Amino acid sequence: NGVVLFFARGENIIHIYELEDLSRAPLKPDHPATEPFKPHKCTEYVAPGEPTSHAALIPRRALDTSKAEFARVLRLTPSVVEPISFTIPRAADIAEYFADDIYAETRAPAAALKGAEWLAGKNARPVLESMMPPHAKRLSKRDPKLAHAALRRGRENAARFRRELDEEEQRRLERDEALERMQRLAVQYEAYNPNLSTGTSKNAAVPLEDDDVDEDEWDD
């Protein structure tokens, strides 16, 4: 599916890239280095727990197509083997369909050549098979009216979500403005009422300094 996962031994971060030219090709080119790639960096995955020692991808035939799983990794740590599933979010109204926009034909568990043919120098393309489960419905065959209705609902939900974000941002700005105004008022109050701000009163007694005159030193 054109997705590349990068692991580093001793780290917990998995770097994910999608190669655009390979994402929809049922058969990969024999010499992909001669064709330009267009990598797109996806969100990194940070695995919890211990650092990674080794990692391995399971065959595509073992993926769960009902969950739009495009990769599954077995991550080895010093103490456990942890399976990590990578899926593509799907709307509820299309979850029942087989995502043929994700799953191209994959290698079948069958040999393309017999042993004698391979020893004779013959070459052949690998045997491919569909990943669609029996009795499943292809997403590409869905009624266009249903697709348009789902698209309209998605746009309405996105617009409502943006409005909610804007309203929340406006409330945050109003709260920040009110807090800033209160802080300015507090500074002004402190400037015009220094005695109150320091906890003293204008009528409070002032302590005598060492060189002040005591009462018994005044003349009658």
Side-chain angles (χ1 to χ4, degrees):
N1 51 24
V3 177
V4 182
L5 307 177
F6 290 95
F7 296 81
R9 184 177 298 177
E11 296 186 1
N12 288 39
I13 300 177
I14 302 176
H15 302 274
I16 307 173
Y17 290 85
E18 180 184 6
L19 303 181
E20 182 178 321
D21 293 344
L22 296 181
S23 59
R24 299 183 184 276
L27 281 177
K28 309 311 177 189
D30 292 333
H31 304 286
T34 62
E35 300 185 8
F37 285 156
K38 298 179 181 178
H40 298 280
K41 184 174 177 58
C42 304
T43 304
E44 297 175 345
Y45 176 80
V46 180
E50 298 176 297
T52 302
S53 298
H54 297 279
L57 281 170
I58 69 167
R60 296 193 67 196
R61 296 190 304 274
L63 299 179
D64 189 350
T65 59
S66 64
K67 297 180 180 179
E69 184 182 38
F70 67 87
R72 193 186 307 166
V73 174
L74 297 179
R75 188 176 78 97
L76 176 64
T77 70
S79 60
V80 298
V81 176
E82 175 190 12
I84 303 176
S85 177
F86 296 90
T87 60
I88 297 177
R90 287 289 187 176
D93 58 337
I94 63 174
E96 60 179 298
Y97 293 90
F98 172 70
D100 53 350
D101 58 331
I102 299 175
Y103 302 107
E105 290 186 333
T106 188
R107 293 177 182 266
L113 293 172
K114 296 181 179 180
E117 294 174 331
W118 182 78
L119 290 174
K122 188 176 180 181
N123 195 8
R125 286 286 190 174
V127 179
L128 303 179
E129 67 177 2
S130 174
M131 297 181 63
M132 186 173 69
H135 311 296
K137 297 179 292 185
R138 292 182 180 271
L139 180 61
S140 58
K141 302 298 183 181
R142 187 173 58 147
D143 187 353
K145 293 181 180 179
L146 297 177
H148 293 160
L151 179 61
R152 183 173 62 255
R153 289 195 302 271
R155 289 176 176 174
E156 293 173 354
N157 292 337
R160 183 173 64 253
F161 181 68
R162 285 194 295 268
R163 287 195 302 270
E164 293 175 354
L165 288 180
D166 293 340
E167 293 172 358
E168 178 62 26
E169 179 66 14
Q170 182 63 30
R171 288 193 292 268
R172 187 189 65 81
L173 292 176
E174 292 175 356
R175 289 195 299 268
D176 292 347
E177 183 179 355
L179 179 60
E180 184 179 356
R181 185 165 59 251
M182 293 175 62
Q183 291 175 341
R184 289 199 302 268
L185 291 174
V187 171
Q188 293 176 3
Y189 186 81
E190 181 180 356
Y192 287 105
N193 300 273
N195 293 328
L196 295 179
S197 63
T198 57
T200 60
S201 173
K202 292 187 294 184
N203 299 325
V206 178
L208 296 175
E209 300 293 341
D210 294 340
D211 54 352
D212 287 344
V213 180
D214 295 334
E215 292 183 358
D216 57 357
E217 296 182 6
W218 290 94
D219 293 335
D220 294 337

